Amino acid sequence: GISLREPRLEDLEELSNMAYQTYAHYNKSVGIPIEVAYDSPQAASTMLRLFVTSSSMIGVVAVEESSGALLGAAFTTTGGEVSGVGPVFVDPTRQSKGVGKAMMQELIRKAKLSNPRSIRLSQTATNTTSFSMYANLGFIPVEGWMEFAGIVTPKNAVIANSAVGFSPLTGIHVCQMEEKDISACAKLHLQALGYDREEELREAHQKGLSTWVVTQNDEIVAYTTGLNLLGHALAKSEEALVFLFTEVSQQHQSGRLPAIHVAGRLYPRLVQWFLAAKLKLLRVQWYMVMGFYQAPQHSIVWCPGGQH
């Protein structure tokens, strides 16, 4: 009783309200904060407009054939070596009726048309229903990550460094990413994870997103495409990663608090560091993969984005 089609701009108001209601309803039921990208219909509209209008995103909307009502939507990046799924949401009053599975099957079919090496997503660990759906579709949980949010004060940075035994770095600086930095950041990502993201990095920089790099003796040792839901970060050491977060978070002035995703199995000391630095643990997620996956290589520290 449903049909599937591409999302349209005229769907935005209805989908934005639905996304907000879906996340607010579920997150309240399990006692975790709603993602800041969807914590109001207005915030959801900003995010979904970006997805609907982006040439690097594809989407699927489910429509009830009898009434024409929208039932849900799902999105994924496309065109790169890896497709990153998210968000996926279904009207809270129409869940457990196969809508999410139908959308995901169509989204996977569309994603595979560009022949990616893998399709990836992050899944809220408390949601056993969606975990089961993704696993049945062929996604494998390969890592778990924790989202920490807040601002690291200089005092708490010293306390956290002492707690885990991090030594202060010398000759190190943080600045906003420039065009000339993109190839070095892309090389670092390729070395660590085995696939290229240079075009994504270039697009993030050109759109004026909050992209930052850390240099030590004129060499890039860490970068981030944003301390937020979709941003990822890489660093040549755990010390460089926490320096990046500390410095960028201290420049925060208003709005959403800086956040980062820490793969706890890979970096248990980072979990301890962020807790010692008095950041708030917001949620725990599964990182799930269909197809190719390479764990970070060469001791490079990887903090995934909300999609991949």
Side-chain angles (χ1 to χ4, degrees), residues 82-199:
V82 170
S83 293
V85 174
V88 178
F89 56 90
V90 176
D91 183 332
T93 66
R94 310 295 183 92
Q95 293 178 359
S96 301
K97 299 180 184 295
V99 177
K101 182 178 180 181
M103 292 193 305
M104 280 302 302
Q105 288 173 325
E106 177 65 4
L107 197 69
I108 291 167
R109 185 192 70 80
K110 285 189 168 190
K112 286 184 174 180
L113 294 177
S114 64
N115 199 31
R117 296 172 69 191
S118 72
I119 303 173
R120 306 183 179 190
L121 57 85
S122 290
Q123 184 272 336
T124 303
T126 53
N127 193 334
T128 56
T129 300
S130 71
F131 180 92
S132 299
M133 179 188 72
Y134 293 133
N136 283 328
L137 288 169
F139 288 91
I140 298 171
V142 293
E143 303 292 351
W145 57 256
M146 284 147 269
E147 181 178 13
F148 291 95
I151 297 171
V152 181
T153 66
K155 177 182 177 181
N156 285 340
V158 171
I159 292 172
N161 285 337
S162 176
V164 300
F166 285 171
S167 300
L169 299 174
T170 59
I172 192 165
H173 306 280
V174 64
C175 61
Q176 291 188 317
M177 186 183 294
E178 299 180 11
E179 182 76 22
K180 63 181 177 63
D181 300 324
I182 293 174
S183 61
C185 294
K187 182 179 178 181
L188 185 64
H189 191 282
L190 183 61
Q191 287 178 331
L193 298 170
Y195 69 97
D196 181 65
R197 295 185 84 168
E198 183 163 351
E199 286 308 309

Side-chain angles (χ1 to χ4, degrees), residues 218-236:
D218 297 323
E219 175 189 3
I220 291 177
V221 295
Y223 79 85
T224 182
T225 57
L227 299 178
N228 51 45
L229 172 63
L230 299 180
H232 71 274
L234 287 175
K236 291 190 174 182

Side-chain angles (χ1 to χ4, degrees), residues 143-146 261-268 270-271 293 296 302-304:
E143 303 292 351
W145 57 256
M146 284 147 269
H261 307 147
V262 179
R265 181 186 69 85
L266 298 175
Y267 315 112
L270 285 181
V271 174
Y293 173 71
W302 163 63
C303 296

